[in-house]
Amino acid sequence: MTADERHVPPVLAHARQLLSGYDVVLSDVWGVLHDGFRAYATACDALVRFRDQGGTVVLVSNAPVPAPRVAAMLDSRRVPREAWDDIVSSGEIALTHLTEKAYAAVHYVGPRDRDAAFFERSTAKPASIEEADAVVCTGLVDDMTETAEDYRPLLAQALARQLPFVCVNPDLVVDVGGRLFPCAGAVADVYAQMGGEVFWAGKPYPAAYETALAAAKRLRGKVVDRRRVMVIGDAVRTDIAGAAGQGLDALFIAAGIHRHETMDGDLINASKIAELFKPGTPRAIAAMPVLTW
């Protein structure tokens, strides 16, 4: 077997044997547990069974809303409460960051109706770019028609004042029933490329994993052995890279955001997944089309 071949994750039909070697699962939500509209039944069943055998599941989501709102969204998509123990959301991390920084006034960017739970919790006063202490972005105001480039003039104003940019959802895109929509991460990426300072409140950045491991420690009543923590996700840039950055094992789910790059119908294409996981990319220890016990 060549070095290139060793870098490609083996494809599993079932996760039962693999997960038996772990105490904690840090699982992505969108793309692993649901597609934006409905739950993936086999994935939910797998996490329920993992918990039944003594495992702890912490959901780690880049959703730009507080954890209770993520829980409500999971309920609406019929993800059973028995599939998880706790939720860490980017929205919650961002709110903590805003409090720690004591920003009095910020310029908010994002859809007020969709992300109302975040805006209602934030205590910083809304302000213009000229009066703000920071820019806080939960997403594009209209992700149906806008792109991140549409925000370049606003970002230029922020950069002129050297304002920090708080990215409440580090994802570049989200897959909603087969269609990709830009996220706050795409706007933050433009700002970073312009030379702006960005706080990324979620995966693949350390705050997400530090918060999730602290939750697992609290739930299990002891420090968690990082060798017995499995990250499950569908995005190489966030889930797999984030796991690699923290020295954690990762299970890649191909039917999520990378499905067009990795799958033929319901099956993983060997040459396609080899291209996605070519040397130099973060490595997953295994791959599955969908999470299945």
Side-chain angles (χ1 to χ4, degrees):
M1 182 180 291
T2 67
D4 287 7
E5 290 171 330
R6 287 195 295 271
H7 195 77
V8 179
V11 176
L12 306 180
H14 297 277
R16 177 174 58 253
Q17 183 174 353
L18 176 66
L19 293 182
S20 68
Y22 297 87
D23 298 322
V24 175
V25 159
L26 307 182
S27 178
D28 183 36
V29 176
W30 207 313
V32 175
L33 288 184
H34 67 77
D35 65 358
F37 292 107
R38 61 190 65 83
Y40 295 132
T42 64
C44 295
D45 174 70
L47 295 186
V48 170
R49 290 174 182 269
F50 177 73
R51 291 185 68 238
D52 285 346
Q53 295 193 356
T56 299
V57 175
V58 179
L59 302 183
V60 187
S61 171
N62 275 356
V65 290
R69 178 58 185 146
V70 177
M73 290 189 287
L74 292 173
D75 291 343
S76 71
R77 289 157 178 80
R78 299 187 178 180
V79 174
R81 290 285 177 119
E82 294 78 15
W84 52 272
D85 293 282
D86 202 356
I87 298 172
V88 169
S89 74
S90 292
E92 204 74 57
I93 293 170
L95 287 165
T96 299
H97 178 74
L98 293 179
T99 299
E100 291 173 346
K101 289 294 186 178
Y103 293 134
V106 302
H107 185 76
Y108 292 107
V109 176
R112 289 304 184 107
D113 290 342
R114 188 197 69 188
D115 300 334
F118 176 87
F119 294 116
E120 290 167 1
R121 278 273 306 275
S122 180
T123 57
K125 181 181 67 175
S128 67
I129 285 289
E130 291 75 19
E131 299 176 336
D133 300 322
V135 176
V136 178
C137 181
T138 65
L140 287 71
V141 175
D142 184 358
D143 58 12
M144 297 282 288
T145 62
E146 293 180 326
T147 70
E149 284 297 320
D150 293 325
Y151 288 83
R152 191 173 286 272
L154 176 70
L155 297 177
Q157 291 180 274
L159 187 62
R161 295 196 58 229
Q162 294 293 300
L163 295 181
F165 185 106
V166 179
C167 179
V168 191
N169 176 1
D171 287 346
L172 297 178
V173 296
V174 64
D175 183 338
V176 183
R179 180 177 174 183
L180 298 179
F181 294 88
C183 297
V187 181
D189 192 49
V190 172
Y191 194 57
Q193 290 178 30
M194 294 169 67
E197 173 193 344
V198 177
F199 174 78
W200 304 84
K203 301 176 293 183
Y205 301 95
Y209 301 94
E210 292 166 1
T211 306
L213 290 171
K217 176 184 177 182
R218 184 184 69 253
L219 289 162
R220 297 185 70 82
K222 60 183 178 180
V223 174
V224 176
D225 183 345
R226 296 171 74 94
R227 295 170 298 180
R228 295 184 63 84
V229 177
M230 171 65 78
V231 173
I232 302 178
D234 70 316
V236 172
R237 174 184 169 270
T238 51
D239 302 306
I240 310 305
Q246 295 295 311
L248 303 173
D249 289 341
L251 170 61
F252 173 68
I253 303 301
I257 199 169
H258 292 293
R259 68 181 179 282
H260 299 302
E261 302 165 68
T262 58
M263 297 186 66
D264 291 332
D266 294 331
L267 301 176
I268 293 176
N269 178 295
S271 61
K272 288 181 178 179
I273 198 169
E275 177 62 23
L276 182 65
F277 284 97
K278 58 190 176 184
T281 60
R283 184 177 183 272
I285 66 168
M288 303 183 72
V290 295
L291 181 60
T292 305
W293 186 251

